[in-house]
């Protein structure tokens, strides 16, 4: 089993709708979780992190963490064409500094 | 403030040739990383260095070597390039190795 699993997509969402991206992980020692966004041909950039169970909101973005079920989600409200990108999940595992990414979910926002 | 700088940005090699990808960061970060990304794929960790003087294998270390030259620099070496190593290589750094990574612009390598 891969350490981090994501649906590769593509996920197509109409403009203005909510996009929901999910990530599951196998290391129960993972304490914090990061969401990166990567535009085509560019390097990834950090957009959200969460380290406790529940929700964390930042503008149109909400990260949800459920440690018991070992999954983390990213919700994007009022989706915009500029949100079209690949979203990568990265749990910080119990092995300090070793950062493993999921395969990423490609999101496409259609006008 | 340059952040993370990778060189070269583009390189074409023939099978069996060797080369070194250079990475330098000016943020005084402790941890540095090398990832590869194949078309339509996520990032796969090749090697990482939690702190100056240490290096560890990631998910796909075979065919690569690394050197943490000092706190600023972390190089990736391909001793005998193979077509399977055609990829985009990203270097990243992190202050605390906690998952907040800052990436370079990437190095696109083609092995013929």
């Amino acid at each position: 089993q891969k350490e981090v699993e994501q649906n590769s997509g593509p996920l197509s969402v109409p403009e203005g709708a909510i996009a929901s991206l999910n990530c599951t992980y196998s290391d129960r020692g993972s304490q914090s979780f990061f969401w990166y966004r990567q535009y085509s041909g560019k390097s990834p950039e950090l957009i959200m992190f969460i380290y406790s169970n529940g929700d964390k909101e930042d503008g149109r973005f909400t990260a949800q963490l459920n440690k018991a079920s070992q999954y983390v989600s990213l919700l994007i409200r009022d989706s915009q064409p500029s949100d079209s990108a690949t979203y990568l999940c990265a749990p910080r595992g119990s092995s300090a500094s070793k950062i493993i990414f999921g395969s990423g979910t490609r999101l496409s926002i259609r006008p | 403030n340059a952040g993370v700088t990778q060189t070269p940005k583009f390189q074409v090699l023939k099978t069996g040739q060797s080369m070194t990808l250079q990475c330098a960061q000016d943020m005084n970060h402790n941890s540095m990383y090398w990832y590869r990304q194949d078309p339509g794929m996520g990032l796969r960790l090749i090697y990482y260095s939690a702190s100056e003087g240490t290096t560890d294998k990631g998910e796909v270390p075979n065919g690569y070597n690394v050197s943490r030259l000092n706190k600023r620099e972390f190089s990736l070496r391909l001793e005998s390039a193979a077509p399977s190593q055609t990829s985009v290589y990203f270097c990243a750094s992190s202050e605390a190795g906690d998952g907040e990574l800052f990436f370079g612009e990437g190095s696109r390598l083609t092995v013929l």
Side-chain angles (χ1 to χ4, degrees), chain A residues 2-3 8 32 34 36 38 41-46 86 88 90 92 95-104, chain B residues 31 33 35 37 40-45 48 50 57-59 90 96-101 103-106 108:
Chain A
K2 194 169 165 50
E3 292 188 39
S8 61
S32 29
F34 299 81
Y36 285 78
Q38 185 178 25
K42 302 294 186 182
S43 52
E45 57 178 339
L46 180 68
T86 296
L88 300 150
R92 183 190 180 193
S95 174
S97 297
K98 185 177 182 180
I99 309 299
I100 302 292
F101 284 84
S103 56
Chain B
S31 301
Y33 304 79
Y35 291 91
Q37 186 172 40
M41 304 288 287
L43 296 163
R44 290 188 290 171
L45 180 63
Y48 67 104
K57 294 179 180 179
E59 301 171 276
F90 286 101
D98 60 355
E100 184 176 8
L101 302 179
F103 285 85
E105 293 184 342
R108 186 175 297 274

Side-chain angles (χ1 to χ4, degrees), chain A residues 16-19 57-62 75-80 83:
Chain A
I18 296 175
E57 188 173 319
D58 184 1
R60 296 186 296 110
F61 296 88
T62 300
L75 302 178
I76 306 174
R77 292 182 301 280
D78 188 23
S79 297
Q80 303 296 309
D83 295 325

